[in-house]
Amino acid sequence: MNYWLMKSEPTEFSIDDLALRPGLSEHWDGVRNYQARNMMRDQMKVGDGVLFYHSNCETPGVAGVAEISREAYPDFTAFDPAHPHFDPGSTPDNPRWLMVDVRFVRKLKRTIGLGELKDRPELDGLALIRRGNRLSVMPVTPEQWDFILALE
DNA sequence: GCCAACGTTGGC
DNA sequence: GCCAACGTTGGC
């Protein structure tokens, strides 16, 4: 079993939104980075743990826990010219982008802020806090997973 | 293959 | 709103 951190802007899709979805599950569209796509395609399995991270907002940080509920399949938002995530280079016959489904597990009692994560030497290797990091999907080690959730 | 220009991400 | 950092694009 693997662990992940996935970023979303809460104004677009937040942990609270996920909790309101039927079946508590929703597709995770809009990943447009090859490194992130490859991790989803090659490594993400049903049941993997996900730290739900709120980005580009008032309190950036880990806001909840989710799990992978469906493995990678074509991101259909790339096929729709009217969709903000449209990519003419991706077609149903030859999809360039993939998505997974995630299921709500729980919302944290408080958001564990980015600054707090940066302060912890135990998390030095975490991709999230590497300078200039732009991955929206990144791996988390079991040790990092336990450590972050213990901060709650 | 190089690299400048551009668009995006995301913290602040 | 600003801007640093990054990935992608495309001319050459």
Side-chain angles (χ1 to χ4, degrees):
Chain A
M1 171 169 170
N2 290 315
Y3 297 98
W4 307 95
L5 181 145
M6 299 174 78
K7 294 180 185 174
S8 180
E9 303 193 12
T11 53
E12 299 297 320
F13 186 66
S14 72
I15 187 72
D16 295 312
D17 294 326
L18 183 59
L20 293 173
R21 287 296 191 269
L24 303 179
S25 193
E26 182 60 288
H27 61 267
W28 194 277
D29 64 88
V31 174
R32 297 290 181 269
N33 171 282
Y34 288 104
Q35 203 180 339
R37 180 204 68 182
N38 293 347
M39 287 189 287
M40 293 198 298
R41 181 188 63 198
D42 302 333
Q43 299 176 51
M44 273 192 182
K45 302 297 178 197
V46 168
D48 281 2
V50 175
L51 297 174
F52 196 122
Y53 180 89
H54 285 173
S55 69
N56 206 7
C57 59
E58 192 174 344
T59 310
V62 176
V65 178
E67 65 182 12
I68 302 299
S69 55
R70 181 178 171 186
E71 284 163 24
Y73 60 105
D75 182 340
F76 50 78
T77 66
F79 307 147
D80 177 3
H83 197 283
H85 297 148
F86 175 61
D87 178 357
S90 186
T91 64
D93 285 344
N94 190 17
R96 174 180 294 174
W97 303 116
L98 303 174
M99 59 185 171
V100 296
D101 288 357
V102 299
R103 180 183 296 118
F104 178 82
V105 174
R106 67 190 178 91
K107 183 179 180 177
L108 299 192
K109 292 191 280 287
R110 66 184 188 89
T111 295
I112 301 167
L114 177 61
E116 197 173 344
L117 300 175
K118 282 181 174 170
D119 279 346
R120 298 294 190 151
E122 293 89 342
L123 299 176
D124 276 353
L126 184 65
L128 179 73
I129 57 180
R130 277 206 298 267
R131 187 159 171 276
N133 165 67
R134 302 186 59 184
L135 278 178
S136 62
V137 174
M138 68 193 76
V140 174
T141 68
E143 293 77 19
Q144 290 164 344
W145 173 275
D146 289 341
F147 184 82
I148 291 169
L149 291 179
L151 295 173
E152 182 184 6

